[in-house]
Amino acid sequence: MTAGRFIVFEGGEGSGKTTQLRGLAQRLRDAGLNVVETFEPGATERGRAFRAALLDDHRPLDPRAELLLMNADRAQHISELVTPALASGSIVLCDRHAPSSIVYQGAARGLGVELVAEVCAIATQGLVPDRVLVLDVGEQVAAARRPIRPDRIEAAGTEFHERVRAAYRDLAPRFGWFVLDGEGAVDAVAARVWDAVADLVDPR
């Protein structure tokens, strides 16, 4: 059986990654490919409790606790959902993964990129995405897209979100992430996404 592909969508809050993931999933299904859409945190039954603690509860949370909760969710997600889907030959499209922790907790929260990358490697059992797409948008655009009732991380403030955006851009060359312009019409951004993944998934 052919091994699957693991493609991760990343970016700050309001970058449009969820919209673009769903669009790519539909395009791939229309081409007859098996696609699994998933996300972090909270895609598994156990993970929903981690998501509630991380996002729904607005009380202060120590960055180290945030990191460990994220990676507890990630370990379960990889073991229960992602690895079996890849083994079956599916294309797995994931809304956030280890790069989010490297950026949010490692850089923006100040825990250190190297430390966070090591923790993530334990949680993922060394699994590395075939491609990481970072949708990059300015803070003004991102803020306009965020929900009226933000979760705990969405509500972290402009300065924090600007640190997140800068970290994605700064770390992309080091980790091999693809930074794509996420501004403009949905179809225009979708075309950029396709150009970035066609060599991995185009069935022709």
Side-chain angles (χ1 to χ4, degrees):
M1 184 172 290
T2 303
R5 296 292 191 182
F6 186 24
I7 299 172
V8 171
F9 284 74
E10 289 283 351
E13 313 301 321
S15 60
K17 56 190 173 45
T18 305
T19 297
Q20 291 301 323
L21 184 153
R22 290 172 178 165
L24 178 61
Q26 189 59 56
R27 179 168 183 168
L28 295 175
R29 290 192 180 107
D30 289 346
L33 298 173
N34 293 324
V35 179
V36 172
E37 297 177 58
T38 189
F39 61 92
E40 293 183 359
T44 65
E45 184 175 354
R46 289 184 181 274
R48 284 193 282 276
F50 295 126
R51 184 179 181 89
L54 285 161
L55 301 181
D56 298 338
D57 188 336
H58 283 247
R59 289 174 296 178
L61 184 64
D62 186 277
R64 292 164 296 182
E66 185 177 84
L67 170 66
L68 294 172
L69 284 169
M70 286 287 188
N71 278 284
D73 171 84
R74 183 165 294 129
Q76 187 67 27
H77 182 227
I78 291 295
S79 175
E80 181 179 329
L81 196 157
V82 175
T83 299
L86 293 173
S88 74
S90 295
I91 297 172
V92 178
L93 305 182
C94 190
D95 187 338
R96 295 204 179 284
H97 185 53
S100 283
S101 285
I102 291 169
V103 166
Y104 279 73
Q105 287 84 52
R109 299 287 197 207
L111 293 181
V113 168
E114 290 78 11
L115 169 66
V116 171
E118 289 178 5
V119 174
C120 291
I122 295 170
T124 63
Q125 300 180 62
L127 178 65
V128 177
D130 293 290
R131 195 139 301 166
V132 174
L133 309 180
V134 177
L135 297 182
D136 180 61
V137 301
E139 176 57 20
Q140 185 174 359
V141 172
R145 293 176 176 175
R146 290 180 200 132
I148 296 174
R149 295 180 180 177
D151 64 34
R152 187 182 63 85
I153 292 179
E154 288 168 340
T158 299
E159 182 180 345
F160 176 77
H161 292 303
E162 288 177 343
R163 290 201 302 272
V164 165
R165 184 191 184 197
Y168 272 119
R169 293 157 67 101
D170 291 346
L171 293 171
R174 173 177 169 181
F175 289 97
W177 305 335
F178 285 48
V179 178
L180 308 178
D181 181 1
E183 297 191 13
V186 171
D187 288 348
V189 179
R192 295 172 202 140
V193 168
W194 181 253
D195 287 344
V197 301
D199 63 307
L200 290 177
V201 299
D202 194 337
R204 292 175 295 176

